[in-house]
Each structure stands twice: as C-alpha cells, then as structure tokens.
C-alpha cells in the first residue's frame, strides 16, 4: 500500500493531554468496520507490484528494521547538523561536556542549539527499552547527548564566550562615537559663529517682512540652505554663505572636519543601544543563575568572561544615560521642541549641513576656475579685435609699394638674364598656326622693349 504522510500523536502526549480531546472522546468507542470499504481502499491505493525475475539460487537476507522515535522533520534536522560536524557522536558529546571551544566553533554551536531535543523527545529516548543498535542516527545522537549533564547550558556558555567580545566592542564603539560627536558640536565655537552669520543673512533677506528681525532660527534650516536658490544660476544660499566665509573668515571654512564621524553617528539610535544592552543583561543573568549546576572546572573557565561582561554592562549603562542627558542639553541649547526632536534628528540635520557645506566649497572652486578661464578668453578676444582695425587701415600703403618694387625688379632680372617666352601650342598640318605664332612672338618682343623704355625713363 502507498504511505499516508502524517504526523502521529505520540502515546505519552495523549496521556498528558486533557481528557476532553477528539481522540480520547471518539476513538475510545470501537468503530463499525462495515462503514469502510477496505476492498476499494486496497484497489485505489495499492502499490503496484514490480515483476522481478526470481533468482532461485540467491536469497537476500533482510536487515533489522531501525526504530524511529522522532518525527521525520526533527530527525532530518539532527542528521544534517551532525553530518556537518564530521565527528563521531561520542566526540561531540565529549567536546560539549568539556566546553572545548577548539573543537567546536560558534557556527557549529549555534547549529547544535537549534536541534536540542524537546521534553517529549527526551522522554521517548529515555523510555526506550529495546536494542540501542536498532535506533536511527538521530535517536543515537540524542541518546549520546543525554549522557552529558546540562548540555544546553554548556553550549550557551560557549556561545556567550564567542559572541560577547564582538558584541560589546560594537556597542561600546557606538556609545563612544555618539558621545564624542555630541560634545564636539556643543563645544564648537566655529559652528556657533557660522549660525550667527547665517542669522544675519536671514534677517537681511527678510528685512521689512514678518520673518525679519529674528533672534534665532530652528535647527531644521541647516538642512535646507542648499535648496534655497539665488538669482545667479547654479548658486544657492549655501554657496553664498561659503563664499562669504571664504573671503571674510577663512579659518571657519573647514569646521566640519572636527565632526568626521557625524555621518555614522546620525544612523545610531540610542533606544536600540539600550535595548541591546538589556538583552545582554538578560542573557548574563539567565546563565549565571544556572552556573551553580556546572562543575567547578567549567565555572572557572567562563568566570573571566562573565566578570568582564558585568563591568561592561555597568559602563555601557553610564554611557547610555549620558547620551540621554546629552539629548536634554541639545533640546535646551538649540531651543527645540522635545516632542519633535531627538538627539538622532539633530545629528542628521548637522550631518546634512556639513556634507552640503563641503560640497559647496568644491563647487565654488570649480565655478571660480571656469569664470577665470572665461574672463581670460574674453580678454584675448578683445585684444585681437583691437589689432585687426589697425592692420586694415595701413594695409594699402604697406602692400602697394612692395608689390610695385617687386614687379620692376622682376622685369629687370628677366631682361638681363634673357627673356624666356612661352611657346604656343602647335597643331600638325596647320600652316596658319605657324604664321600666327611668329607674329605673336614679335608682338611680345615689342611689348617687352616698350616696357623697358618706360621703366628706364621712370628710373
């Protein structure tokens, strides 16, 4: 017959359940078997038989049937984790018993913690009275694991030993960076002067209006300055502010370099820090309460880690409380509404302001270079425009005389050296063309003599 894949309720689970359940209520009374057509079931769900040629001489011996006490899903998970360890079950149990962190890394420990047996699985293994050799692989692992006292606690101790230092370093760094950035902003004289300059800018722009003559402004303005356009193309109020500071107070220009970690700090939420610290405290308290159940050697092995963890929690709590106090200082210092602003919001505004301020410095520099190149090009074009009219005015007097002298010199040199006359094209069989060529030669010679006489007279 084909198999029906279902998850069986174990006998011990049914015994522990209340009497008012469907199986206890309806299955206690026998069912009339005439209600079920077993012939139809067999016909519909019978496994087709495979015809195999029988070998009369060879007979396969059937092996022993393995006993499965776990549900298929749990059994599969146990088999996957134990195969990845590539260690015999006895060696895994020994490594857990001795808390050997050289043989078990953090990933392997987390994998083992995921497949820890539940109370029903433990009871099923302990109540098994048959041959242990007939147990499945997952059942054999559980049977070996149950021999180790407080196996889950030992695995949690090793996990804490692996994860505490990286977690504490990360949380400690976040608290430290937040405090440093917070105090740096409050103590920055450059930032205070910049905001004063910006206040003067705003009052000048808003002169005569309702928004003018202000004694201060909300912090949110710092994150919007780069969006306020000026009348000059590609220039905003941030560019104008940077240009003014560069001319009049250049020592304020690189104030943002003191807040180099502000971008990362703006992403840190102190509430998350506090939540993470509380979770760490719960883990420590839970493990320390059960440490008395372990042997002395194991307790001593993790004593230093738990001591360091306790000291870290005290220092981290002080840092988180200081950050909460810093938030109160910011609310008062920048005259903010506590309901609408948090310390993280202040850091985000400052981060945007510093980022856009630095970008404006670079953009102003590029624009200045472009303007200088354009001015230089215009000056060159103006200079060329001035020289061209002069050349045109004196062009005739300068060019005519050399041309005349050049023509006379050429004629004299040609006559002295013997004038070479051009030969006319001849056409075979044409007598008239020959006569025409002779007359043209004479005419040319006469013209040359006349030109010579005129030139001599002129000289």
């Amino acid at each position: 017959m084909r198999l029906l894949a279902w998850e069986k309720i174990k006998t011990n689970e049914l015994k522990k359940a209340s009497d008012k359940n469907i199986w206890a209520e309806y299955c206690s009374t026998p069912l009339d078997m005439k209600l079920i057509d077993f012939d139809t079931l067999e016909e519909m769900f019978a496994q087709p038989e495979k015809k195999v040629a029988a070998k009369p001489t060879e007979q396969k011996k059937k092996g022993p049937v393995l006993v499965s006490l776990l549900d298929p899903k749990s059994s599969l998970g146990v088999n996957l984790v134990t195969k990845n360890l590539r260690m015999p079950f006895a060696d895994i149990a020994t490594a857990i018993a001795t808390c050997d962190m050289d043989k078990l890394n953090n990933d392997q420990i987390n994998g083992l913690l995921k497949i820890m047996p539940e109370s029903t699985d433990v009871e099923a293994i302990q109540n098994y009275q048959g041959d242990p050799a007939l147990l499945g692989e997952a059942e054999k692992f559980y049977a070996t694991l149950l021999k180790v006292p407080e196996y889950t606690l030992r695995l949690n101790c090793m996990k804490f030993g692996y994860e505490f230092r990286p977690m504490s370093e990360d949380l400690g760094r976040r608290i430290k960076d937040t405090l440093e950035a917070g105090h740096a902003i409050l103590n920055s004289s450059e930032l205070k002067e910049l905001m004063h300059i910006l206040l003067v800018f705003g009052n000048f722009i808003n002169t005569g209006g309702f928004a003018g003559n202000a004694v201060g402004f909300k912090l949110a303005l710092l994150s919007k300055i780069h969006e306020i356009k000026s009348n000059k193309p590609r220039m905003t109020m941030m560019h104008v502010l940077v240009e003014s500071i560069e001319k009049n107070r250049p020592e304020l220009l690189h104030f943002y370099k003191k807040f180099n970690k502000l971008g990362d700090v703006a992403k840190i939420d102190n509430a998350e820090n506090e939540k993470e610290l509380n979770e760490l405290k719960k883990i420590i308290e839970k493990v320390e309460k059960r440490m008395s159940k372990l042997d002395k050697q194991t307790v001593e092995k993790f004593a230093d880690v738990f001591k360091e963890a306790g000291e870290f929690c005290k220092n981290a709590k002080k840092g988180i409380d200081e950050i909460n106090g810093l938030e109160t200082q910011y609310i008062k210092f920048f005259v903010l509404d506590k309901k609408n602003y948090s310390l993280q919001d202040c850091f985000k505004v400052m981060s945007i302001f510093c980022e856009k301020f630095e970008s404006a410095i670079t953009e102003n520099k590029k624009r200045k270079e472009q303007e200088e190149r354009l001015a230089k090009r215009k000056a060159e074009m103006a200079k060329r425009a001035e020289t061209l009219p002069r050349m045109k005015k004196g062009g005739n007097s300068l060019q005519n005389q050399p041309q005349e002298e050049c023509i006379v010199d050429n004629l004299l040199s040609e006559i002295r050296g013997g004038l070479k006359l051009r030969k006319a094209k001849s056409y075979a069989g044409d007598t008239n063309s020959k006569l025409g060529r002779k007359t043209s030669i004479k005419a040319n010679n006469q013209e040359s003599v006349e030109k010579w006489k005129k030139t001599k007279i002129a000289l």
Side-chain angles (χ1 to χ4, degrees), residues 213-224:
N213 199 24
V215 294
F217 57 86
K218 295 295 183 181
L219 195 65
L221 177 68
L222 296 181
S223 62
K224 299 176 182 178

Side-chain angles (χ1 to χ4, degrees), residues 136-152:
E137 291 297 310
E139 286 78 2
K140 286 179 182 177
F141 172 72
Y142 277 174
T144 308
L145 182 66
L146 291 175
K147 296 176 183 178
V148 179
E150 298 292 336
Y151 50 86
T152 306

